[in-house]
Amino acid sequence: MIQQIPLEYYLLLSAVLFTIGTVGVLTRRNAIIIFMSIELMLNAVNLTFVGFASFMGNNAGQLFVFFVMSVAAAEAAIGLAIVLALFRAKKTVYVDEVNLLKW
Amino acid sequence: MMQELIYALPLTLIFILSIAVIMVDAFTGKNKTVAYYFSIAGLLGVIIAAIYTMTLPSADLAKMAYEGTISKGMLTYGGYAAFFDILFAVAGILTIVAAKPYLTREYGEYKEFYSLIIFAISGMMTIAHASNMVTIFIGIEIMSITFYVLAGFIRTRITSVEAALKYFLLGSFASGFLLYGMAMVYGATGTLQLQEISAKIATGEIVNIYLQIGLALLIIGLSFKVAAFPFHQWAPDVYTGSPTVVTGFMSTAGKAAALVAFIVIAKSLLPTNFGATLINDKLIVVKEFTENATMIIALISAATMLIGNITAIAQKNVKRMLAYSSVAHAGYLMMGIVANNENGFAGIVFYSTAYMLMQIGAFVVVGVLERDDTKFQQISDYSGLRKSHPYLAAVMALFMFSLAGIPPMAGFPGKYLLFTATIQSGYTWLTIVAVVSSIISMWFYIGLVLNMYFKEKEGDALVADVKSSHFTIAVSVIGVIILGILPSFLIDLAKNFF
């Protein structure tokens, strides 16, 4: 008999992915890798949404995922443009070298 | 269908306008005045539409899914939503008018600026109209993504790009938390519609652990967006690096929009109307938990205003000082959410209106006097302003007094409303902290005024480049004084909203 994978497994996986993303944002110094970590966080949340939606038999969560994906695409366009503008102005993508603004 | 479009008229119009401005921009070539006047006229149209939707009757919408909503519970109309539509549109007009001379001088006037401002306003209005997690998320993202671009608008200037990068990385990081919170609340209640969530929490039909995690993540995400302690560190950097007119817009309209999202979420996730007959073990746990969550928001609010005001004292740069004072004001405004009653929400409505006027006015004065990004922004540069520019010195002093909360300026009744609402709901200690921190804030607000009026300037006097910024400053001054002297009109209006 095939057993269904319990909901907790999905939630645990997405929590782990979200944590990896958070740690990535907090520890890495390359703007593009930080950005990739943020995308990982968003996709971890998508997994939570799909898991809940599937287990509750309610497709509002799956619908939300489409919105999240399109927002993530828009964010990618803007984010890479900003990194490009930074590289043109300063020839670096490392965030610890970008430190003009501080009190 | 047609009727729903009419009820959502301001929202419909602003989205059409945001596309139309880009089109106008594309087809008018080098002519810059068309896009400028078209944006202003469009925003005036949105204001008229919002006033019209306030007067619409709600009775014939009885067939709609939830009370006060349209499009199957996705959007609200009228009431506070329409009021915030007007607030955001007014902030947009004030910013666009002041931005024309500023941008022409500092970087060159690019017409995208106007369409970006309108895109940001469309995001804010979506938040104001939201009654579903999806619409809140879409609104916050439209607004934030536009702000990332606006912060880096002067893309050849390193401070502007740095501000954009910091804002982008931290803002999308915060969006991740916000989204995770929404996912957990969805898992706890099985719905994304806020009225349904509220009903389910009040009857206890929820998975408690998911709701707790979800609410904690939502508070983190929203604190990031309103720049509250301990997630406020991006705000001073971003507000200092961005073009000054954009800072004025972001720190007022953007903050008000994030607070509307906070109000909408707090109202449905922290219900206070638990039915006495329904009390059972499960509900007692939920009730205890919502009380703890309110306590956490109160602590965040208290820490935000203390940290914001104390750090502002140490600042030498006027723009950065105003940025820290904007962090402190996020703390004051969050008191309304802690109060979690109609007086508190009315206080937020009133104070965010007053704050919008005085903060945009103050930033426009800074923008008029500064040159080449960082020159003439120090507090010492402002000494002797009374002699060289008596008019600018007077209005700046007025805005400072209003921000400090001295009657008869608009800041005073706003603070009074928030403080009394917080006392009403039993958080007297928070009000004491707020009073202490507003006394601390006198130090740097009055310090700037003293500098302008009682110190002599060594070297050349500042050159002011006011032009059409006169309009913005005049509207802000008149608004601040009228709201200060006759606050009851807006207070009564705001109390009917919630």
Side-chain angles (χ1 to χ4, degrees):
Chain A
M1 193 186 123
I2 302 168
Q3 264 196 324
Q4 205 181 13
I5 302 174
L7 174 63
E8 283 70 25
Y9 285 30
Y10 290 94
L11 296 184
L12 207 63
L13 174 63
S14 64
V16 168
L17 283 176
F18 192 85
T19 315
I20 292 174
T22 314
V23 172
V25 172
L26 296 176
T27 57
R28 301 307 287 262
R29 287 291 150 254
N30 185 322
I32 294 174
I33 292 183
I34 294 178
F35 183 51
M36 280 162 58
S37 306
I38 290 170
E39 292 292 305
L40 187 64
M41 288 165 69
L42 293 184
N43 283 322
V45 177
N46 284 350
L47 191 62
T48 312
F49 264 122
V50 174
F52 275 132
S54 158
F55 272 81
M56 291 188 299
N58 169 339
N59 50 18
Q62 301 195 4
L63 220 110
F64 204 139
V65 170
F66 284 102
F67 285 106
V68 176
M69 286 198 292
S70 49
V71 163
E75 250 177 19
I78 298 294
L80 292 178
I82 290 172
V83 174
L84 201 64
L86 176 77
F87 188 74
R88 282 208 181 131
K90 215 169 170 186
K91 297 277 175 274
T92 182
V93 291
Y94 288 90
V95 288
D96 50 353
E97 291 171 24
V98 185
N99 52 5
L100 282 174
L101 298 168
K102 57 189 166 198
W103 79 323
Chain B
M1 168 67 193
M2 213 41 227
Q3 201 192 8
E4 290 195 341
L5 278 182
I6 289 171
Y7 274 79
L9 196 60
L11 207 55
T12 324
L13 273 182
I14 191 87
F15 276 110
I16 294 172
L17 183 69
S18 55
I19 307 291
V21 172
I22 293 187
M23 288 298 166
V24 169
D25 177 5
F27 284 111
T28 48
K30 285 202 172 11
N31 184 347
K32 283 168 180 153
T33 47
V34 179
Y36 173 72
Y37 285 112
F38 185 75
S39 319
I40 294 175
L43 286 174
L44 284 174
V46 171
I47 293 176
I48 294 167
I51 293 172
Y52 170 67
T53 52
M54 268 181 166
T55 63
L56 283 176
S58 57
D60 54 341
L61 281 172
K63 60 183 183 295
M64 299 299 174
Y66 308 98
E67 200 198 339
T69 63
I70 48 173
S71 60
K72 305 222 184 294
M74 296 293 266
L75 298 172
T76 53
Y77 61 87
Y80 73 92
F83 179 80
F84 276 104
D85 289 349
I86 298 170
L87 180 74
F88 299 145
V90 170
I93 292 175
L94 293 180
T95 308
I96 286 175
V97 171
K100 195 176 167 73
Y102 178 85
L103 287 176
T104 314
R105 186 183 77 231
E106 294 285 318
Y107 180 54
E109 185 189 359
Y110 286 90
K111 291 175 288 179
E112 300 93 279
F113 187 84
Y114 307 127
S115 61
L116 283 170
I117 291 277
I118 288 172
F119 267 120
I121 295 174
S122 63
M124 294 171 193
M125 286 192 183
T126 314
I127 300 173
H129 280 269
S131 76
N132 188 308
M133 294 279 200
V134 180
T135 23
I136 292 184
F137 178 69
I138 304 269
I140 287 185
E141 285 304 310
I142 294 176
M143 178 184 86
S144 305
I145 289 176
T146 322
F147 278 167
Y148 307 150
V149 183
L150 279 172
F153 191 74
I154 304 186
R155 64 188 161 83
T156 51
R157 188 185 280 169
I158 184 71
T159 47
S160 183
V161 175
E162 181 178 336
L165 183 77
K166 281 183 176 165
Y167 197 11
F168 167 70
L169 290 177
L170 292 173
S172 37
F173 186 53
S175 298
F177 280 97
L178 192 72
L179 197 58
Y180 204 9
M182 287 177 178
M184 290 319 256
V185 171
Y186 170 65
T189 58
T191 172
L192 289 164
Q193 215 286 333
L194 288 164
Q195 273 97 329
E196 274 181 28
I197 291 176
S198 179
K200 289 211 167 157
I201 292 175
T203 53
E205 294 170 59
I206 47 164
V207 187
N208 214 344
I209 181 76
Y210 295 159
L211 185 73
Q212 299 191 0
I213 298 172
L215 193 55
L217 289 165
L218 277 176
I219 290 175
I220 293 177
L222 287 169
S223 303
F224 251 113
K225 295 285 175 197
V226 297
F229 179 84
F231 313 106
H232 67 288
Q233 279 302 334
W234 61 270
D237 284 358
V238 171
Y239 291 169
T240 319
S242 310
T244 308
V245 279
V246 174
T247 308
F249 185 63
M250 283 200 298
S251 67
T252 57
K255 190 156 289 188
L259 270 157
V260 179
F262 217 141
I263 294 178
V264 170
I265 285 176
K267 231 173 44 161
S268 48
L269 261 63
L270 304 172
T272 45
N273 56 336
F274 291 104
T277 51
L278 291 167
I279 291 290
N280 54 32
D281 289 352
K282 206 172 176 188
L283 214 58
I284 289 170
V285 175
V286 176
K287 198 167 174 225
E288 224 166 64
F289 160 66
T290 55
E291 275 162 11
N292 288 344
T294 315
M295 192 53 152
I296 288 170
I297 299 175
L299 288 174
I300 291 177
S301 155
T304 307
M305 44 204 171
L306 282 176
I307 297 281
N309 281 327
I310 292 171
T311 331
I313 289 178
Q315 302 305 320
K316 300 274 182 290
N317 182 319
V318 178
K319 206 170 162 186
R320 206 168 175 83
M321 186 198 90
L322 285 173
Y324 272 107
S325 105
S326 129
V327 171
H329 278 84
Y332 296 137
L333 286 161
M334 276 170 82
M335 286 171 73
I337 290 160
V338 174
N340 205 357
N341 55 26
E342 59 175 22
N343 288 341
F345 296 140
I348 292 182
V349 169
F350 185 90
Y351 201 52
S352 47
T353 314
Y355 177 65
M356 186 270 282
L357 292 167
M358 55 206 186
Q359 187 86 342
I360 284 189
F363 271 117
V364 166
V365 174
V366 175
V368 159
L369 292 170
E370 75 171 58
R371 290 292 178 281
D372 302 333
D373 187 20
T374 48
K375 273 190 215 155
F376 309 131
Q377 282 183 357
Q378 304 303 315
I379 291 180
S380 55
D381 291 327
Y382 280 65
S383 45
L385 198 66
R386 173 184 62 94
K387 274 196 182 145
S388 51
H389 301 285
Y391 162 69
L392 284 178
V395 293
M396 192 67 171
L398 190 112
F399 294 138
M400 289 300 120
F401 286 141
S402 179
L403 283 165
I406 294 171
M409 261 60 87
F412 174 71
K415 274 188 181 148
Y416 175 78
L417 266 178
L418 285 170
F419 290 5
T420 47
T422 316
I423 292 176
Q424 261 177 21
S425 54
Y427 285 88
T428 316
W429 64 269
L430 183 60
T431 311
I432 295 170
V433 173
V435 170
V436 169
S437 69
S438 22
I439 293 168
I440 296 173
S441 74
M442 298 276 178
W443 176 270
F444 55 88
Y445 290 131
I446 307 295
L448 183 64
V449 176
L450 289 180
N451 218 14
M452 289 190 300
Y453 274 84
F454 299 109
K455 276 201 183 150
E456 293 305 320
K457 171 91 177 167
E458 293 156 20
D460 298 332
L462 295 186
V463 182
D465 172 33
V466 190
K467 292 184 195 142
S468 59
S469 306
H470 271 304
F471 173 77
T472 304
I473 295 174
V475 170
S476 308
V477 167
I478 294 169
V480 165
I481 292 174
I482 288 181
L483 280 183
I485 296 172
L486 302 166
S488 53
F489 162 70
L490 184 55
I491 293 173
D492 293 342
L493 191 69
K495 277 188 183 164
N496 287 329
F497 290 156
F498 296 99

